[in-house]
Amino acid sequence: LNVSRQLTGTVTDASQLQQQASHALRILGTQLRQATPWAMAPQTSAQEAAQLRSSGTILGPTLRGMATPSGAKEFHLSLRTTSVQEPSHLATGTAPKPLHLLRDCLGETGATQAQKALVSHFRWQDGQLFCQGEGKPQPLISGVRDFQLRYLQQRLDHRTQPAQPRFRYAQAEDLQEADWNEVLAVEICLELEGLEAIDSAGAQYTRCDGTAAQRENRLQQVIRSTYHLRNPMAGGSG
């Protein structure tokens, strides 16, 4: 009975960790894919489903990250996008009504103006991954042992003619203020830990930072995923 219970607990742990990771990455991925200083404008022509158009206003930085945030207004990842009202048909009526279809990481918009900056902040603290939009932060998942971010930067090298794009992966502390506008993709690594005690027999695993660690009689899962932003493929001088 004891062996059966341990096996059941391990399987349940593995399933819950997968669900937790899927939920967190789905929210993170949605916010990363829509993060841009450009507004997504739906089209009705057969040639184009949508176009990117300039917002015409200063909405602040699209993407920022910090390795070790400390203050209440500092976060591991901050994302900003332009949200515009679009004519939408509601189930209760026939006339289209202007609505903001984009949502922040908590599924909220709270916008009444035609155009606004939609902001989502993420922080890993006390074993939980928190999300904050315009309101108070809310936990997305628990059991998070590590949360690492890596950024793919593209810059044009004007020493060659024509200028050639150069790519590099960088941590938040390696990026200067001007570098953030050249980030094209973000790699996310989540390390999750289960609740059930298991006999790991001294087994090791590779953490998000690439180091080896003991399993410590708990089930650990390390999950990575990469998401592209809608930043234009262009770089500054380099």
Side-chain angles (χ1 to χ4, degrees), residues 16-31:
Q16 289 180 345
L17 292 183
Q18 289 284 354
Q19 292 177 11
Q20 294 266 73
S22 177
H23 175 64
L25 292 178
R26 182 170 61 251
I27 294 176
L28 283 160
T30 298
Q31 299 303 314

Side-chain angles (χ1 to χ4, degrees), residues 89-107:
H89 290 272
L90 300 177
T92 56
T94 56
K97 180 180 180 181
L99 294 175
H100 286 274
L101 300 184
L102 297 182
R103 296 290 187 270
D104 62 20
C105 54
L106 294 177

Side-chain angles (χ1 to χ4, degrees), residues 16-113:
Q16 289 180 345
L17 292 183
Q18 289 284 354
Q19 292 177 11
Q20 294 266 73
S22 177
H23 175 64
L25 292 178
R26 182 170 61 251
I27 294 176
L28 283 160
T30 298
Q31 299 303 314
L32 282 164
R33 291 189 183 105
Q34 71 184 24
T36 176
W38 299 78
M40 180 70 80
Q43 301 295 307
T44 57
S45 66
Q47 290 78 20
E48 293 180 314
Q51 288 182 342
L52 289 177
R53 67 187 184 194
S54 176
S55 64
T57 58
I58 300 175
L59 298 178
T62 298
L63 167 72
R64 289 293 184 274
M66 297 187 69
T68 54
S70 56
K73 294 185 178 181
E74 294 182 351
F75 305 92
H76 286 89
L77 181 65
S78 294
L79 302 169
R80 187 184 301 262
T81 190
T82 303
S83 179
V84 296
Q85 288 183 341
E86 304 170 15
S88 304
H89 290 272
L90 300 177
T92 56
T94 56
K97 180 180 180 181
L99 294 175
H100 286 274
L101 300 184
L102 297 182
R103 296 290 187 270
D104 62 20
C105 54
L106 294 177
E108 301 172 345
T109 177
T112 57
Q113 62 269 39

